[in-house]
Amino acid sequence: MKAHYARNIQGEAVDLELVEVDPDAVVLDPTNPRLSFSMRQLHDGERTDAACSLLLTTQEEVEELKRSILLSGGVQEPIYLRAGGVVAEGNRRVVAMRLAKEDRPDEPRFRTMPAWLIPEGTPEHVVQNLLNEVHLGSVRGWAPYEKALQLRALVAGGLIEEEIAERYRMTPREVRQHIAAADFMDREYFPITQDPTRPEHRTKYSYFLEFERNSKLQQRLDAEEDLRERFAGWVNLGRINTGEKVRRLPRVLESPEARRLLDADGFAAAEEYLRREHPEEQELYALLEKTRARLTKMTLPELLELQRSPERTAILSGLRSAVEAVVSMAERTTGAGGR
């Protein structure tokens, strides 16, 4: 007896049937967000199953997935398959299973894999809602850039941001930021890369999302119309290569010299300049300044608590003694150097 699963998809029931399929007998989907960018670089007739398979085979994640399949004895989580045999969800698992089958041709457990078969005649919008639930509304799913592309496709298809946010546990602002970051990459970043189809470029999506989320950077756009273009260039050259650097970028942009160093030598040189010229940028002095500011804001209950607590008094006294000792040492060193 075959297993069936009646799944409720945005209020519409779909009767999914669990079947076993030969990974070589199904067809990969070139419109899948993981593949679509690269596939769009090819002519229509070249967007074949073989091209999709070759593209996915070159990705490190697929090799890791193949090793996992070999260790676990097969695919554990079913893919989703359209009635015509086209993969709706699970392209990477199919390719990884093909590789496993090739490695172990004599082992029956690698000859087939489980698939939820979507009934023939299921409306396309229902299929898309199913895929969106799998990839946007769960922890497992597409990579961030690919999710952003799907969010953009939903808006282009007529859904409003508020409805998308409600469906997939986001806020409308988050939906707008994700779409803006994807647009930013497509418009400014990919055109200046040597090979925009390389998967590692899409992993930099988080930097562009941080840019869209950063209110200080957004405020600078009014005065610096080319800031997005410059930012894309910094990412392409490796000047900015972590999300944390994007968050610290506004401080660099406030200083003409730090910005010049960012262009010429990179982010580390810009921050080193700021630490030299602005002690509050150094970790130690930033912590001391934060402590000083907090002490000036002690509330009456906190002061009364301090008054009654020898342990708390000892901590503050120790801090005062340490600061006085360091200042005295610095003064003596300065005096000795001047003689």
Side-chain angles (χ1 to χ4, degrees), residues 32-34 88 131-132 134-136 140-144 146-147 150:
N32 180 280
R34 281 201 176 101
L131 300 183
N132 291 334
V134 171
H135 291 292
L136 297 178
R140 182 186 67 80
W142 290 313
E146 293 146 2
K147 286 186 177 183
Q150 191 67 3

Side-chain angles (χ1 to χ4, degrees), residues 37-333:
F37 186 89
S38 296
M39 289 298 106
R40 289 199 301 270
Q41 315 307 311
L42 303 176
H43 296 297
D44 290 347
E46 297 175 324
R47 299 171 189 172
T48 63
D49 179 273
C52 293
S53 184
L54 178 62
L55 175 63
L56 289 173
T57 301
T58 62
Q59 296 182 7
E60 184 178 347
E61 299 94 331
V62 172
E63 181 62 29
E64 293 174 357
L65 187 54
K66 184 196 82 170
R67 289 195 292 269
S68 175
I69 289 172
L70 290 173
L71 287 172
S72 59
V75 170
Q76 306 301 312
E77 185 173 0
I79 63 172
Y80 287 84
L81 195 64
R82 296 175 184 272
V86 176
V87 178
E89 190 278 328
N91 287 277
R92 287 195 308 174
R93 270 168 286 158
V94 169
V95 172
M97 190 62 166
R98 288 175 180 176
L99 296 173
K101 180 182 176 183
E102 186 178 314
D103 274 10
R104 310 280 177 87
D106 298 326
E107 296 193 32
R109 56 185 176 168
F110 300 119
R111 293 175 187 168
T112 64
M113 60 192 300
W116 287 114
L117 183 60
I118 301 170
E120 187 173 2
T122 302
E124 182 58 26
H125 76 274
V126 176
V127 177
Q128 290 303 317
N129 284 338
L130 167 63
L131 300 183
N132 291 334
E133 286 185 1
V134 171
H135 291 292
L136 297 178
S138 63
V139 174
R140 182 186 67 80
W142 290 313
Y145 172 72
E146 293 146 2
K147 286 186 177 183
L149 293 185
Q150 191 67 3
L151 291 172
R152 186 169 68 185
L154 290 174
V155 171
L159 288 181
I160 62 174
E161 294 157 353
E162 287 74 13
E163 183 176 359
I164 297 171
E166 177 66 23
R167 284 188 182 188
Y168 305 115
R169 297 184 290 279
M170 303 173 72
T171 67
R173 185 183 182 205
E174 287 173 334
V175 173
R176 287 191 292 272
Q177 288 171 339
H178 278 281
I179 294 173
D183 289 343
F184 186 0
M185 289 191 79
D186 290 353
R187 185 177 60 253
E188 303 289 354
Y189 177 68
F190 287 122
I192 64 174
T193 61
Q194 286 189 337
D195 181 2
T197 66
R198 295 181 63 173
E200 57 263 34
H201 289 312
R202 298 193 289 278
T203 65
K204 299 176 182 179
Y205 169 79
S206 62
Y207 311 157
F208 294 85
L209 182 58
E210 286 288 350
F211 184 99
E212 295 298 333
R213 285 173 169 170
N214 192 296
S215 59
K216 291 182 179 179
L217 290 174
Q218 295 302 301
Q219 290 168 5
R220 296 188 73 92
L221 288 171
D222 292 334
E224 298 184 50
E225 295 182 356
D226 66 340
L227 182 56
R228 280 197 170 92
E229 179 184 351
R230 294 172 68 88
F231 179 84
W234 291 327
V235 173
N236 186 45
L237 293 172
R239 299 283 192 261
I240 293 177
N241 54 17
T242 67
E244 177 60 28
K245 288 180 179 177
V246 182
R247 291 188 285 274
R248 299 201 301 267
L249 181 59
R251 187 69 187 88
V252 171
L253 298 181
E254 290 172 2
S255 165
E257 178 60 16
R259 176 185 285 225
R260 186 192 69 77
L261 288 168
L262 171 61
D263 276 323
D265 302 313
F267 204 89
E271 287 208 309
E272 178 59 30
Y273 167 79
L274 290 177
R275 283 192 290 269
R276 288 198 312 268
E277 298 299 315
H278 305 279
E280 69 275 10
E281 295 289 333
Q282 292 181 316
E283 181 183 3
L284 171 61
Y285 294 99
L287 179 60
L288 290 172
E289 175 58 22
K290 184 177 180 179
T291 302
R292 182 201 64 77
R294 179 63 181 86
L295 287 172
T296 64
K297 296 178 181 178
M298 287 187 70
T299 64
L300 181 58
E302 287 174 331
L303 290 170
L304 292 173
E305 186 179 47
L306 172 64
Q307 189 180 50
R308 296 190 296 266
S309 172
E311 295 82 6
R312 289 173 174 78
T313 302
I315 291 172
L316 283 180
S317 296
L319 176 61
R320 178 178 62 188
S321 298
V323 171
E324 289 175 347
V326 169
V327 172
S328 177
M329 185 185 306
E331 290 175 343
R332 289 199 302 273
T333 302

